[in-house]
Amino acid sequence: PPSLPSEYSQIRYRVNIASHGESGSCVRKVQRAPEHVAKFHSGLLLGGDRGEWGGELVFRDGSGIDKVILEENVVAIHVIDEKAYVFTGLSHMGNHFGSIHRLDAENGMTALNPSRITKLDDRPTEVVYDEKMGFRLRFGEVAGLDSGSIGRVRYQCFSLTDQKNLAEIACSLDVAQEATGQ
C-alpha cells in the first residue's frame, strides 16, 4: 500500500483466503503486502485488512519466519513502551465490531499471545497516539445521504483510559467542513 514507508514496500507474506464457489469451499494461498507494519522486539508485526474477506496479524521473526498470531482485520498497530497495541475491526453490511489487543513479549518472543483488552462497537477509522492524551480513536459516520446531498461525515472520538475503557472526547476534525471551507 502507498501509505507504508518505503523501507517496507517490498514486504510480502503468505495468507490463506477462504471462499465458496460452484465446487464448494476452497482455500487459496496468496502473497500479500501488509497494510500496517511495526517493529516489535526482534521482528516485525504485519497487519492485513481485506474487509469481509478477513485479515490477520503476523509476526515475522528476525530470521524471516512468519507466524499468524491473530485472525482479525488490522486497522492500526502502535508499539509503546515494549508493548504492541493492535486495533482491529469490521464495518460491513450492518456488521460493526472491533477490538483492541495488547501484545507483550514473553519468554524471549517464543510465545506471542495477544490479549484483548476491550471490545469496540465499531471499526475505528483512525487511531492516533500522543503521550499526553494516550490513544485517541475516531469512528466515522456518513449522514445526510437520504436528502440527496453528497452527505456529511460526522465523527465520534474516544480516548482510551486506563488501557481498557473508552471515554468520549471532542473531535477536532470534520472532513466535510474542511473540504468545503464552511
Side-chain angles (χ1 to χ4, degrees), residues 8-178:
Y8 301 127
S9 65
Q10 299 303 312
I11 292 178
R12 300 290 182 272
Y13 63 98
R14 184 178 296 275
V15 297
N16 295 327
I17 298 180
S19 63
H20 299 281
E22 291 178 4
S23 303
S25 62
C26 68
V27 175
R28 292 184 308 141
K29 294 179 187 261
V30 298
Q31 291 290 323
R32 181 83 185 158
E35 281 86 10
H36 309 282
V37 177
K39 291 181 182 180
F40 187 60
H41 294 279
S42 62
L44 297 172
L45 291 171
L46 311 173
D49 181 353
R50 292 177 302 286
E52 70 267 27
W53 299 106
E56 60 283 317
L57 179 67
V58 172
F59 179 73
R60 176 170 289 171
D61 68 19
S63 62
I65 305 294
D66 292 345
K67 179 182 178 185
V68 175
I69 57 175
L70 185 64
E71 291 185 357
E72 295 182 29
N73 287 317
V74 175
V75 175
I77 304 170
H78 290 272
V79 177
I80 315 289
D81 297 331
E82 303 291 320
K83 295 182 186 338
Y85 294 86
V86 180
F87 297 80
T88 65
L90 177 66
S91 192
H92 177 70
M93 296 183 70
N95 292 308
H96 304 281
F97 55 86
S99 293
I100 303 171
H101 302 270
R102 185 180 64 230
L103 284 91
D104 300 301
E106 299 172 357
N107 304 323
M109 298 306 290
T110 58
L112 283 169
N113 298 310
S115 59
R116 180 180 304 162
I117 58 175
T118 193
K119 287 185 175 185
L120 303 172
D121 292 335
D122 203 348
R123 175 190 190 279
T125 54
E126 185 178 5
V127 179
V128 296
Y129 177 81
D130 70 45
E131 290 182 15
K132 281 184 161 181
M133 300 253 331
F135 286 107
R136 290 176 287 153
L137 289 74
R138 186 167 63 179
F139 299 88
E141 174 185 300
V142 177
L145 293 175
D146 58 341
S147 65
S149 66
I150 292 174
R152 179 174 179 77
V153 180
R154 293 182 305 186
Y155 293 103
Q156 282 188 298
C157 296
F158 295 87
S159 177
L160 182 62
T161 62
D162 64 34
Q163 297 190 358
K164 66 179 179 179
N165 294 307
L166 295 176
E168 190 161 5
I169 59 174
C171 288
S172 60
L173 179 62
D174 184 317
V175 172
Q177 275 186 332
E178 284 198 354

